[in-house]
Amino acid sequence: MTSAAKSISVVNTVANLAAHLDPVHADGLTVGFVPTMGALHDGHASLIDASVASTDVTVVSIFVNPLQFVPGEDLNVYPRDIDGDVARCAAHGAAVVFAPSVNAIYPKGLPLEGIDAAKIDPGEVAQPLEGRERPTHFIGVAEVITRLFTAMGPCRAFFGEKDFQQLQVVRHLVAELNMPIAVVGCPTVRESDGLAWSSRNVHLNDRERATAPVLYRALQAAAAAVAEPGWDRMAVEATMSTMIEAELAGPVDYAAVVDPLTLLPPEDPRPGDELRLLVACQFGEARLIDNVGAVAG
Ligand code: AMP
């Protein structure tokens, strides 16, 4: 353990977080922020490492945000392991774990009368893909991220490309609301067979776990296909769906080739243009998403 590991602090309120961060800001030091929902894995650890490497003080938040779960989703069985999480944060050199209660983040209570009571617009980029499958999800993400950023103050905030659309929603928010936050996107970390680390992977049974790497194989095949001259978007999307559905009982939620900025089908793509390929599907109890970057041929 490093000395940073020994001195990790766990705070539960915005006031106590400020007590840690006010002197840091006053001293002109940089703050790194890694927002998570806990059940930390190697993907989260890579974000902590990136923050520790490029900022003076790293804060990891652990907050399972009820507002971003669509009714009927896995909020009540979402994996939680606060002791293991704090130990992992310490081992990777984070200085503070911010683990607030729901009340600390939503002092007036959750807007239970409906997601309509949420006030932050996640923007156009929140509409397709996940936004269509989980209509209120990004409204909840925008709400919690705005509250967490307000609590943090100026910082560098580290997000995984694993949740690529979320990363673009956060970039939109920061630009739209002039937040003093530098958003840093970090590459997806995968297990040795290609499956992206996800807290939800614990819900996969042995057979599902064995077949789940098909998501990454389909994305890689699609990335190779769009690099060929004359590629056809609909054909590439159909091939991805077919590859994944061969291993699944049901249909994919989506398998899409999009413009990385709009998350919409690319208009008139030219050779050399950047693309993003994204897939989502239900694997038993776990809903898995994955994506890769690609360059048009
Ligand atoms: P979550 O706890 O799932 O809300 O994720 C917290 C942060 O970790 C988000 O910025 C995610 O994109 C990021 N993350 C999750 N899984 C991975 C992964 N396999 N590789 C890199 N970042 C990840």
Side-chain angles (χ1 to χ4, degrees):
M1 263 193 184
T2 65
S3 57
K6 284 182 199 135
S7 62
I8 194 161
S9 303
V10 180
V11 298
N12 305 113
T13 66
V14 173
N16 285 344
L17 180 64
H20 275 272
L21 293 185
D22 286 353
V24 176
H25 290 302
D27 286 348
L29 299 175
T30 55
V31 175
F33 179 36
V34 180
T36 82
M37 297 210 299
L40 301 184
H41 49 63
D42 286 6
H44 298 115
S46 75
L47 305 184
I48 301 171
D49 291 343
S51 176
V52 168
S54 65
T55 67
D56 296 311
V57 173
T58 290
V59 178
V60 180
S61 68
I62 296 173
F63 181 63
V64 181
N65 174 35
L67 212 56
Q68 73 188 67
F69 288 75
V70 174
E73 285 189 343
D74 56 351
L75 173 60
N76 292 333
V77 294
Y78 196 83
R80 296 171 198 246
D81 176 20
I82 186 69
D83 293 341
D85 289 348
V86 171
R88 195 185 276 255
C89 290
H92 284 265
V96 179
V97 169
F98 177 44
S101 64
V102 171
N103 199 48
I105 294 297
Y106 298 100
K108 291 190 170 173
L110 282 173
L112 286 178
E113 66 276 21
I115 197 83
D116 292 345
K119 296 184 183 60
I120 312 295
D121 178 3
E124 292 284 303
V125 75
Q127 296 299 320
L129 305 173
E130 289 298 286
R132 209 174 47 223
E133 297 296 323
R134 309 171 69 197
T136 56
H137 170 65
F138 286 125
I139 297 174
V141 169
E143 196 71 25
V144 76
I145 282 296
T146 303
R147 289 161 189 260
L148 290 171
F149 282 173
T150 305
M152 288 296 302
C155 62
R156 283 165 71 83
F158 296 80
F159 288 84
E161 290 184 350
K162 159 75 169 40
D163 299 277
F164 188 79
Q165 191 173 10
Q166 170 175 274
L167 172 61
Q168 300 303 57
V169 167
V170 172
R171 285 184 165 136
H172 157 81
L173 279 181
V174 165
E176 180 68 19
L177 302 178
N178 297 315
M179 294 177 175
I181 311 285
V183 177
V184 183
C186 300
T188 300
V189 179
R190 301 177 180 282
E191 300 196 50
S192 56
D193 60 5
L195 179 64
W197 282 100
S198 165
S199 304
R200 290 188 164 101
N201 289 353
V202 297
H203 294 312
L204 298 170
N205 66 27
D206 289 349
R207 191 188 55 76
E208 291 155 358
R209 175 62 190 81
T211 52
V214 70
L215 295 186
Y216 187 48
R217 286 200 305 276
L219 289 165
Q220 286 178 302
V226 300
E228 295 294 327
W231 62 280
D232 175 71
R233 179 177 63 84
M234 308 275 265
V236 172
E237 292 178 345
T239 305
M240 275 196 286
S241 299
T242 306
M243 271 184 81
I244 297 167
E245 286 166 0
E247 309 276 349
L248 271 181
V252 297
D253 287 350
Y254 55 79
V257 179
V258 300
D259 178 318
L261 294 181
T262 63
L263 278 292
L264 295 172
E267 284 178 22
D268 189 22
R270 310 275 168 91
D273 281 359
E274 292 201 5
L275 302 167
R276 205 79 199 179
L277 318 179
L278 302 95
V279 296
C281 61
Q282 194 73 31
F283 256 82
E285 297 296 307
R287 185 169 180 280
L288 302 185
I289 60 173
D290 201 354
N291 70 90
V292 299
V295 177

